[in-house]
Each structure stands twice: as structure tokens, then as C-alpha cells.
Amino acid sequence: MTTPHPDHDRGLEFDLSTLLSRRRSLGLLFGAGTAAALAACTPGTGGGSASPSSTATASATATATETTTAAASPSASATSTVTRAFAECGVEIPEETLGPYPGDGSNGPNVLEASGVVRRDIRSSFGTSTTKAEGVPLTVTLTLLDNANGCAPLAGAAVYAWHCDQNGKYSLYDSGLENENYLRGVQEADANGQLTFSTIYPGAYNGRWPHIHFEVFESMSNTTAAGQVLTVSQIALTEKACKEVYATAGYESSAKNFPNTTLTSDNVFGDDGGIYQLATMSGSVAGGYTAALNVTV
């Protein structure tokens, strides 16, 4: 069985040479552990006080086994979603590796300089190609909060999101996909700090739990400027939704790869079981899924 991306997401050391000028020094030196140790409450896990202890990690792992219905989906009002986010604010989202396939200019191609990258629907390539990535529909909503400003909505910030296709391959990098740029896009947060992407459910490849990468920038105008990255992190998807999706046609390789890595053994989420990065999810294969996450920076 082919093992895709054996070097994917090898951690901070892999990215250090290209990220030093683009990340905040505090995030690089102290990482997610320090922020988590100061946690007063937990974002994206249903509210309440928590810290990344063994109890919290166990709770996050248990949450990953079921698809919850309390998601802040695009159909929910912005007001109710932001209220929920305020209640859970207090812990900055852990900073994570970009991985070797960011497409942001730090490791090869830079899709952020391409006309057309600012879009909500990221399923198709843009520019010289219009190839559309196939897969189960997924809508991702992020609520950005400014931890240094009383968890006020981070209006006007920009998010660049990217992930693999249903076969675990990345546009711009994998063989045969060098001229594709699907499953990559930028959105601006509204007055409530919210933004939404329409995409497909990512596949699973060996060595990683299913995830979505994202970078948060100070503003849309700074998405190509070094030093303007507020945070780099990843969204973890729930076990129940993954099992449902990977049982469908087109995700055969994901069905084989998914059981090989657990949320707690993943080399990115495993340190705390993904407690601060596990999306709240709802939906079905037939109707598509929604994933929501509160991102405190």
C-alpha cells in the first residue's frame, strides 16, 4: 500500500528555517503548551473551564468519537455563534506546523499572489485550470477572536485555508497536480469575526489524523507580507464523520489509511488530543457536513 507524504507535518523543526520571519517570536519559543497551561476555558469543546490535563485530553478524545449537533453552522445566526465563542474564549489556539505543502511562498509556490485566491468556494482550481475536486461537501466556519482585546471579534482579519483532496493529495505539489490549485483559498472575517469556506471532506493519509490547515493574517492586504501572520494552526475533524465519509465511493484509500492513526497518536494533535482544534460538526454524507471552530489568537 502506498504511503502518501511520509515527511508531512514533521513539526516545528521542519518549518523553522522558512517561518522564523513570518511567525510571532512568542509562538515559536513557547508554543501551544504555555498558552494551554494558562487556559481558563476551552474553545470549540462546548464551553466550561478546562486545561490540557489527562482529563481534558480524554474528554477531547471522547468528543472525537461522535458528531455533535451544537455546531455553529453557516445557517446559524452570527449573533448566537459569537455569543458561544465569547463564552469559550480565553485560550489561544495552538500554533502548529505549516507542513511541507502550504503554497504560501514559504516552501515553493505562492498561491497567495494569484488573482482569484480570495473566494469562499475552494473546490475548483482557478486561473489556467478549472478542475474541480470531487468529494463529500463540507462547509467550514471559523470565528476569529482577539484574546488581547477581551476576545472581541477579529473583524477584518484574513484566513488562508488549504487541505488535501479525497485521495490525500495536495494541489501545487503532488505528481500530476502541480498545475492545480484547488482546495486553497482566502476569506476575510466579517464584523462578527466569522468567515466560511465551501469545500470537500479531506481524505486520510498515513501518519496524520484528517485535518485542515489555516493561517490567520492581520488583514487581507497583508496576506502576502512577511511578519503579518497572527497564527498558524490546523482543524481536526471528528471520528464519526470521518468513518461515515470514508465508507463512500471515492474515499477508498482514506478508508484504508484512517485506522492507522488515532487523534491521540497524531504528531500534531496528539499532545493534547486536539482539545482546542477539534471542530464541532454536524451533517451527513447525503446532505454534506458542517464544521465550526472558534479560533482565539
Side-chain angles (χ1 to χ4, degrees):
M1 178 172 60
T2 301
T3 302
H5 310 314
D7 64 343
H8 184 77
D9 291 356
R10 292 186 294 179
L12 186 59
E13 290 183 359
F14 182 89
D15 293 331
L16 188 57
S17 62
T18 57
L19 293 183
L20 188 56
S21 65
R22 307 189 63 214
R23 285 193 175 186
R24 296 172 298 169
S25 297
L26 185 61
L28 279 170
L29 293 174
F30 299 104
T34 301
L38 299 175
C41 52
T42 304
T45 57
S49 177
S51 63
S53 63
S54 57
T55 300
T57 301
S59 175
T61 305
T63 304
T65 65
E66 60 181 350
T67 302
T68 63
T69 58
S73 69
S75 60
S77 68
T79 301
S80 63
T81 303
V82 171
T83 299
R84 176 175 181 271
F86 277 144
E88 298 173 351
C89 187
V91 179
E92 292 189 7
I93 195 163
E95 292 213 21
E96 306 291 5
T97 174
L98 280 166
Y101 310 109
D104 66 350
S106 63
N107 183 26
N110 189 354
V111 74
L112 296 178
E113 295 182 343
S115 175
V117 72
V118 180
R119 61 212 184 118
R120 170 173 170 154
D121 191 334
I122 63 174
R123 291 174 294 178
S124 298
S125 288
F126 60 93
T128 59
S129 173
T130 57
T131 301
K132 184 177 181 179
E134 299 297 326
V136 174
L138 174 66
T139 301
V140 179
T141 298
L142 301 180
T143 301
L144 308 182
L145 300 171
D146 186 354
N147 199 43
N149 190 28
C151 291
L154 203 59
V159 169
Y160 166 46
W162 72 97
H163 62 83
C164 67
D165 62 20
Q166 65 180 177
N167 295 312
K169 306 297 183 182
Y170 285 84
S171 66
L172 296 177
Y173 292 91
D174 272 298
S175 178
L177 301 180
E178 296 91 341
N179 295 320
E180 303 292 349
N181 51 30
Y182 55 59
L183 308 181
R184 300 176 184 273
V186 174
Q187 280 285 280
E188 182 178 26
D190 63 17
N192 297 300
Q194 289 188 308
L195 51 88
T196 298
F197 291 99
S198 297
T199 186
I200 59 109
Y201 206 96
Y205 50 88
N206 283 323
R208 285 304 318 275
W209 181 266
H211 60 283
I212 297 172
H213 295 263
F214 66 93
E215 288 183 272
V216 181
F217 293 85
E218 290 183 351
S219 67
M220 289 287 287
S221 62
N222 288 329
T223 55
T224 59
Q228 302 302 320
V229 179
L230 297 180
T231 194
V232 179
S233 197
Q234 300 179 27
I235 305 168
L237 304 178
T238 62
E239 181 177 5
K240 184 174 185 293
C242 289
K243 287 182 175 179
E244 292 170 351
V245 172
Y246 299 157
T248 65
Y251 286 93
E252 289 81 4
S253 63
S254 295
K256 294 178 181 178
N257 296 330
F258 180 62
N260 299 332
T261 306
T262 66
L263 187 60
T264 53
S265 69
D266 182 79
N267 61 9
V268 170
F269 305 124
D271 57 347
D272 60 9
I275 189 171
Y276 303 119
Q277 293 150 286
L278 186 66
T280 303
M281 298 190 67
S282 63
S284 65
V285 169
Y289 289 84
T290 64
L293 185 68
N294 301 322
V295 179
T296 304
V297 299

